[in-house]
């Protein structure tokens, strides 16, 4: 009965973490660039049971110890493209990420595409809401010449400017778009930013990623699906809780038995 309590406890803890992940997805249903996460499980350690025969071989006489959380998987399916008609809103279509530099010089990667102009030393740099600099393919900060309304971005990330006569001038700058061999190996840093790890591999240029100006990538959270997952997780939690309650009641009955 003690093992039953531990098994039920493992189920309750695992399903609580599952509910936490679902709640985080639902909370970010309107967060641009957000990618859904899910919790994967695995069965716990198995132990050999006492053989019912004296000399016979043990055939599948093993019992499990419940369930454990194995890993968090991030779903990188493409989100819908939202039209904003804002010159400094960029949506990515494909596996790539923007590369940014924070105020401490750390390099991070993101799918978020809302940027602004920061005036420093007579030059206008593209930054996000937290002041992180958007970088080009060479790792340099991107400086915008003139007003943002005159800036145009091609789908391969090349920056051009519209002159008064309507002609386009190539700025010789291209947004840095990078991909990873194992995106699920990236380390989440919050605010939709990631940093590479040994599991993700090193960043490489993402030739298959397109940039859409005047758009943002919506969250790929499927609200109805998350609600269904939540109901299933709650029912699993209730069943695991019932196992613990039943084992406790059985232990109480046994303790009242007198020889």
């Amino acid at each position: 009965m003690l093992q039953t309590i531990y098994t039920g406890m493992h189920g309750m803890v695992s399903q609580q973490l599952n509910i936490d992940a679902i709640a985080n997805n639902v909370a970010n249903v309107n967060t641009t660039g957000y990618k859904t996460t899910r919790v994967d499980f695995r069965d716990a350690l198995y132990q050999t049971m006492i053989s019912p025969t004296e000399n016979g071989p043990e055939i599948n006489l093993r019992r499990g110890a419940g369930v454990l959380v194995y890993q968090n998987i991030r779903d990188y399916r493409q989100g819908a493209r939202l039209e904003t008609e804002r010159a400094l809103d960029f949506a990515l279509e494909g596996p790539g990420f923007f590369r940014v530099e924070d105020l401490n010089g750390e390099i991070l990667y993101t799918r978020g595409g809302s940027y602004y102009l920061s005036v420093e030393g007579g030059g206008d740099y593209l930054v996000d809401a937290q002041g992180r600099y958007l970088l080009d393919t060479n790792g340099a900060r991107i400086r915008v010449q003139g007003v943002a309304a005159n800036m145009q971005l091609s789908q391969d990330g090349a920056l051009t400017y519209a002159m008064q006569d309507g002609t386009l001038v190539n700025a010789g700058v291209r947004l840095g778009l990078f991909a990873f061999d194992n995106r699920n190996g990236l380390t989440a840093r919050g605010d939709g930013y990631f940093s590479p790890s040994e599991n993700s591999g090193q960043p490489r240029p993402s030739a298959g990623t397109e940039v859409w100006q005047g758009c943002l990538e919506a969250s790929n959270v499927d609200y109805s699906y998350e609600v269904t997952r939540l109901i299933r997780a709650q029912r699993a939690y209730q069943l695991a809780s019932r196992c613990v309650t039943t084992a406790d009641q059985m232990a109480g009955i046994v303790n009242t038995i007198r020889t």
Side-chain angles (χ1 to χ4, degrees):
M1 286 180 289
L2 186 61
Q3 180 60 56
T4 303
I5 293 177
Y6 280 120
T7 300
M9 178 199 68
H10 289 159
M12 293 172 65
V13 171
S14 299
Q15 290 303 327
Q16 180 61 61
L17 295 175
N18 189 22
I19 292 174
D20 291 344
I22 296 171
N24 187 52
N25 290 336
V26 174
N28 286 281
V29 68
N30 291 322
T31 301
T32 57
Y34 179 80
K35 301 301 180 184
T36 304
T37 60
R38 76 171 192 270
V39 175
D40 279 358
F41 302 100
R42 65 178 177 182
D43 50 350
L45 179 68
Y46 280 82
Q47 298 175 336
T48 301
M49 299 170 61
I50 299 176
S51 175
T53 60
E54 295 182 358
N55 300 320
E58 297 178 356
I59 303 176
N60 293 326
L61 297 176
R62 302 174 67 83
R63 65 179 181 185
V67 63
L68 296 174
V69 172
Y70 176 55
Q71 60 183 349
N72 277 350
I73 297 295
R74 193 173 298 274
D75 182 1
Y76 283 98
R77 285 178 302 144
Q78 183 71 39
R81 202 163 61 240
L82 302 177
E83 298 283 346
T84 65
E85 298 183 357
R86 182 174 174 270
L88 298 183
D89 282 346
F90 311 134
L92 293 181
E93 188 167 318
F97 294 81
F98 294 113
R99 174 184 277 179
V100 299
E101 178 187 0
D102 68 11
L103 299 179
N104 297 321
E106 184 179 8
I107 303 300
L108 299 173
Y109 298 86
T110 181
R111 297 277 299 189
S114 188
Y115 294 95
Y116 307 88
L117 292 181
S118 175
V119 180
E120 296 183 8
D124 297 335
Y125 293 93
L126 286 177
V127 297
D128 64 8
Q130 291 76 35
R132 300 181 180 93
Y133 295 94
L134 183 62
L135 304 181
D136 63 13
T137 55
N138 298 319
R141 299 173 181 177
I142 297 177
R143 175 178 292 180
V144 176
Q145 301 174 5
V147 297
N150 294 334
M151 187 190 75
Q152 296 188 17
L153 201 65
S154 64
Q155 292 185 2
D156 61 356
L159 186 63
T160 59
Y161 297 97
M163 306 303 289
Q164 292 182 351
D165 59 0
T167 59
L168 298 179
V169 177
N170 192 340
V173 176
R174 191 182 302 273
L175 267 61
L177 305 177
F178 296 88
F180 296 86
D181 292 333
N182 178 22
R183 292 181 292 181
N184 276 306
L186 292 171
T187 301
R189 302 292 297 274
D191 292 333
Y193 292 89
F194 302 89
S195 58
S197 69
E198 293 183 359
N199 293 330
S200 67
Q202 293 302 310
R204 53 177 174 77
S206 180
T209 301
E210 295 181 347
V211 185
W212 292 80
Q213 188 178 14
C215 304
L216 289 174
E217 182 188 7
S219 167
N220 68 351
V221 175
D222 186 338
Y223 182 76
S224 59
Y225 177 65
E226 295 299 323
V227 171
T228 302
R229 290 180 57 209
L230 178 61
I231 295 173
R232 291 174 57 189
Q234 288 176 328
R235 292 295 296 163
Y237 185 94
Q238 291 173 356
L239 291 173
S241 175
R242 188 173 300 174
C243 289
V244 175
T245 302
T246 302
D248 180 64
Q249 292 173 348
M250 294 174 63
I253 293 174
V254 170
N255 289 334
T256 60
I257 296 177
R258 296 184 178 180
T259 57

